[in-house]
C-alpha cells in the first residue's frame, strides 16, 4: 500500500470569546459524502455503510490513534469489524488512570451518504475529544478524529469543522473493499490511506466532514 505523511493545518473557530465554564456540551455531526458518485474506484456492488461511532473526551495522556502508531486491539476490532467491545474495555482501564472523561456513541449508517450525530459533555480536566467509525465493507479502514482540543486560552470553541480522511489501521493486508481477511503479522503502523479509492487529481479526497457545535 502507498504511504503518505504530511502535516494537516487545522483552523478552529473560536467565536464569541468568553471565559470558559468548567464544562461544556457539544453536538457532533459526521456528514458522510462517501458514495459511488464521489468515490467510484472499485465501489462495492452492494454499496457501503458505516459502523456505529465510538468516542471519548480525554486528557493529553490518552491517544486513540495517530499516524505512525500501532493500533490497539480495540481499534483493530473497530477498524476490521465495526465492533467496539474491546475498545470499551480499554476505556475502563484508561478511566481508572483518570485519562478519560465522557464516553459517547452514535448509530452507524446502513447506507451512505448520510449524517451521524451524537452529543457529549466535556470538562476542563479532559478537554480533548476523539472518535472512530469503520468504513464497511473494507479490510481495516476507518475514519475519525484523534486528540482534538476544544478549549484554548480559557475558552471553549463555539464551532469546529474538520475534513474526515480515511485511515488504514495496519492490521489487515487487504487492498480493496472486498478483500478476504489477511491479518498483517506483525501489525504495521496506522496511516492515512492513499489508494485510488480516496484520491483524485488534487491528492487525498475526504469522505465528508465533522462538525462540532457548542450547545448553550
Amino acid at each position: 500500500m502507498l504511504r503518505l505523511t504530511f502535516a494537516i493545518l487545522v483552523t478552529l473557530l473560536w467565536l464569541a470569546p468568553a471565559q470558559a465554564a468548567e464544562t461544556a456540551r457539544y453536538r457532533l455531526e459526521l456528514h458522510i459524502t462517501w458514495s459511488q458518485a464521489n468515490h467510484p474506484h472499485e465501489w462495492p456492488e452492494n454499496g457501503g455503510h458505516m459502523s456505529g461511532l465510538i468516542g471519548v473526551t480525554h486528557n493529553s495522556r490518552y491517544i486513540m490513534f495517530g499516524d505512525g502508531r500501532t493500533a490497539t486491539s480495540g481499534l483493530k476490532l473497530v477498524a476490521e469489524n465495526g465492533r467496539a467491545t474491546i475498545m470499551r474495555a480499554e476505556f475502563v482501564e484508561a478511566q481508572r488512570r483518570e485519562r478519560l472523561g465522557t464516553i459517547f456513541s452514535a448509530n452507524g449508517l446502513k447506507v451512505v451518504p448520510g449524517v451521524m450525530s451524537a452529543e457529549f459533555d466535556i470538562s476542563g480536566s479532559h478537554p480533548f475529544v476523539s472518535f472512530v467509525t469503520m468504513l464497511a465493507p473494507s479490510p481495516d479502514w476507518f475514519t475519525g478524529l484523534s486528540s482534538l482540543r476544544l478549549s484554548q486560552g480559557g475558552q471553549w470553541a463555539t464551532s469546529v469543522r474538520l475534513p474526515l480522511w480515511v485511515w488504514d489501521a495496519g492490521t489487515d493486508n487487504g487492498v480493496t473493499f472486498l478483500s478476504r481477511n489477511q491479518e498483517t503479522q506483525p501489525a504495521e503502523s496506522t496511516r492515512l490511506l492513499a489508494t485510488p479509492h480516496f484520491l483524485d487529481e488534487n491528492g487525498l479526497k475526504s469522505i465528508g466532514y465533522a462538525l462540532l457545535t457548542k450547545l448553550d
Side-chain angles (χ1 to χ4, degrees), residues 79-194:
E80 292 185 3
N81 300 308
R83 300 202 305 269
T85 50
I86 295 179
M87 183 168 277
R88 286 185 178 276
E90 292 173 350
F91 290 166
V92 172
E93 174 61 17
Q95 281 183 321
R96 186 185 69 81
R97 298 184 180 187
E98 300 182 348
R99 297 179 180 181
L100 296 192
T102 303
I103 300 172
F104 60 93
S105 61
N107 293 330
L109 295 175
K110 294 182 178 179
V111 295
V112 290
V115 179
M116 306 166 65
S117 64
E119 293 186 6
F120 61 90
D121 295 317
I122 189 167
S123 70
S125 61
H126 298 88
F128 297 87
V129 62
S130 299
F131 60 84
V132 290
T133 173
M134 175 200 181
L135 279 70
S138 77
D140 58 346
W141 302 345
F142 68 95
T143 192
L145 294 176
S146 183
S147 299
L148 172 65
R149 182 163 190 152
L150 291 177
S151 68
Q152 179 172 289
Q155 299 167 15
W156 292 110
T158 300
S159 177
V160 183
R161 174 173 165 157
L162 297 170
L164 291 169
W165 309 107
V166 179
W167 292 80
D168 186 321
T171 60
D172 191 293
N173 289 328
V175 295
T176 68
F177 291 113
L178 299 176
S179 293
R180 65 182 180 87
N181 290 334
Q182 306 173 61
E183 186 170 359
T184 304
Q185 288 289 352
E188 298 178 352
S189 59
T190 300
R191 59 197 180 275
L192 284 165
L193 187 63

Side-chain angles (χ1 to χ4, degrees), residues 32-99:
I32 302 298
T33 58
W34 180 42
S35 68
Q36 184 174 16
N38 292 328
H39 304 83
H41 183 75
E42 295 184 341
W43 182 255
E45 181 179 351
N46 293 326
H49 60 280
M50 309 287 292
S51 75
L53 175 147
I54 184 74
V56 290
T57 65
H58 56 92
N59 61 26
S60 60
R61 298 169 61 205
Y62 173 83
I63 300 176
M64 182 173 283
F65 68 91
D67 185 53
R69 298 180 64 89
T70 301
T72 66
S73 297
L75 179 60
K76 170 182 165 69
L77 189 64
V78 171
E80 292 185 3
N81 300 308
R83 300 202 305 269
T85 50
I86 295 179
M87 183 168 277
R88 286 185 178 276
E90 292 173 350
F91 290 166
V92 172
E93 174 61 17
Q95 281 183 321
R96 186 185 69 81
R97 298 184 180 187
E98 300 182 348
R99 297 179 180 181

